[in-house]
Every structure is written in structure tokens, then in C-alpha cells.
Amino acid sequence: HGQLVQSGAELRKPGASVKISCKVSGYTFSNYDMSWVRQAPGQGLEWMGWISVSKGDTNYAQKFQGRVTMTTDTSTSTAYMELRSLRYDDTAVYFCARPQGGFSGIHYDFWGQGTLVTVSS
Amino acid sequence: QSVLTQPPSVSEAPRQRVTISCSGSSSNIGSHAVNWYQQVPGKAPKLLIYYDDLMPSGVSDRFSGSKSGTSASLAISGLQSEDEADYYCAAWDDSLNAYVFGTGTKVTLL
């Protein structure tokens, strides 16, 4: 069984950047991609994109293109998500999640516990 | 604004059955597998159903999924207090080139 452990809560000012980590254990990190999903307070789930751990290819949701960078460090089995030019509406809980299934059947079977990012002046 | 539409809430008495609908289009549900997630407030989502109607190991068989055309449904039978949670459908969307979640449905026991 996989386990995804994320870094702790962050507080940032508008315009700043935040980088969240997601450390994987229990499975071979490079055999799976990694995605990031966020959830604003009281709102639904929003997919941000994914990264191929083995190849480094990325696919970001259009909404976040230009502001987000997803990376991985295979030596430590850790995935990272950096979001720049933070706005108040970026306040949310950010989850990493492991995708399974092919392109047409993608689903997320393991999730991190979530990292709260608060954007406040 | 999600492209997958769900009812905001459903309520039913314990031990009864509820069904949650998820309406999409040809670019998502009509072309790709549907998944369902359960989320208890303050926790990470949990995969309930994948590939339209398959259950991961460990998920109660009181949950079942189905799909027809551009719509999908999640049924919960024998409602229990532990089923009170938010439920989201999800699928890949070709037009958006993104994985999209439904608007979410809150299940409450009467």
C-alpha cells in the first residue's frame, strides 16, 4: 500500500510563491505519475495537473499554466508542486494523488493528507 | 465551473438507498471512464468506484456505480451513519485536456 506524506501548512502573502512536497513510500516512485488536486474552503475538488515521474513530462490544467511547476526527486521519492504569484483565491488545501489506469480510465487510488496554503496579507 | 453536474445534496433515512447522478457530455463521460470519490470533511478523498463500476478492494459492496451515455450514477444501499460525506464523480475531459470533478453531492442521513 502506498503512502503519500505532504509537508505542513503554509502562510504566504499575495504575490509570493509556495512549494509543497509529497514524500512517497510503499511503492516504486518512478513506476507511477503524480498529480496535484486542490480544494478551496467549502468548495469542490480541482485538478491542477500531473507529472510523469519517469520522464519528467508535465500536463498542467490551463488555469494554472504559467504559474505552476511540478517536479520530482527520484532519489528521495518526493514530488513537489510550486505555485507562484499567489492570489487570495489560491487559499486551499492542496493534495498530491497517485494516478492509476490508462489515459481513458485515469483514477486516483492513493492521496496525501493535504497541505493547507493560506494566502493573506 | 465544473463540467460535471451533480445534485448539491441528497438525504435519506438509515438503511435506505440513495442514488447520486452525474451529468456530463461526450467529451468526458461519453468518452472516458467515470470514477467516484468519497470525502469526509477535513480528510483526503477516497476512491470508491473506478472504470464506471469497479470497486477497489476494501470498499463496501453497498456502493455501486453505473454509466449510460453521458451520465453516470452512484448508488449507496443500506445507508449508514459513516456514509455521511461528500461524493464526487470525475472523468477525463478531452475538450479541456484535464481531469474534471463533479460539483459534489453531500449525503445526509435523516
Side-chain angles (χ1 to χ4, degrees), chain A residues 48-102:
Chain A
M48 299 181 70
W50 81 37
I51 181 168
S52 167
V53 174
S54 60
K55 300 177 183 177
D57 298 340
T58 55
N59 179 16
Y60 302 139
Q62 185 172 12
K63 175 177 181 177
F64 301 102
Q65 286 180 6
R67 282 207 305 143
V68 69
T69 301
M70 296 178 188
T71 57
T72 61
D73 182 343
T74 54
S75 69
T76 60
S77 297
T78 303
Y80 298 91
M81 188 284 297
E82 180 181 34
L83 190 61
R84 301 177 293 279
S85 302
L86 288 168
R87 305 186 287 251
Y88 293 112
D89 62 0
D90 289 318
T91 294
V93 175
Y94 291 75
F95 297 98
C96 57
R98 186 182 84 164
Q100 276 271 44

Side-chain angles (χ1 to χ4, degrees), chain A residues 2-20:
Chain A
Q3 187 172 14
L4 284 61
V5 179
Q6 299 182 222
S7 49
E10 303 274 9
L11 173 64
R12 294 286 187 273
K13 295 185 184 302
S17 299
V18 69
K19 190 171 186 178
I20 302 167

Side-chain angles (χ1 to χ4, degrees), chain A residues 39 47 101 103-106 108 112, chain B residues 32-33 35 37 39 44 51 92 99:
Chain A
Q39 186 172 38
W47 185 82
F103 172 70
S104 190
I106 182 175
Y108 295 95
Chain B
H32 300 286
N35 312 301
Y37 300 88
Q39 187 181 32
Y51 288 151
W92 184 261
Y99 189 74

Side-chain angles (χ1 to χ4, degrees), chain A residues 1 37 39 43-48 50 59-62 65 95 100-114, chain B residues 31-35 37 39 42-47 49-51 57 86 88 90-92 94 96-103:
Chain A
H1 272 278
V37 174
Q39 186 172 38
Q43 303 301 308
L45 301 167
E46 182 175 33
W47 185 82
M48 299 181 70
W50 81 37
N59 179 16
Y60 302 139
Q62 185 172 12
Q65 286 180 6
F95 297 98
Q100 276 271 44
F103 172 70
S104 190
I106 182 175
H107 54 279
Y108 295 95
D109 59 352
F110 293 134
W111 294 69
Q113 82 277 19
Chain B
S31 302
H32 300 286
V34 176
N35 312 301
Y37 300 88
Q39 187 181 32
K43 299 292 187 181
K46 172 187 175 183
L47 180 66
I49 298 289
Y50 65 103
Y51 288 151
S57 61
D86 296 318
Y88 295 90
W92 184 261
D94 289 329
L96 297 174
N97 193 34
Y99 189 74
V100 292
F101 290 93
T103 48

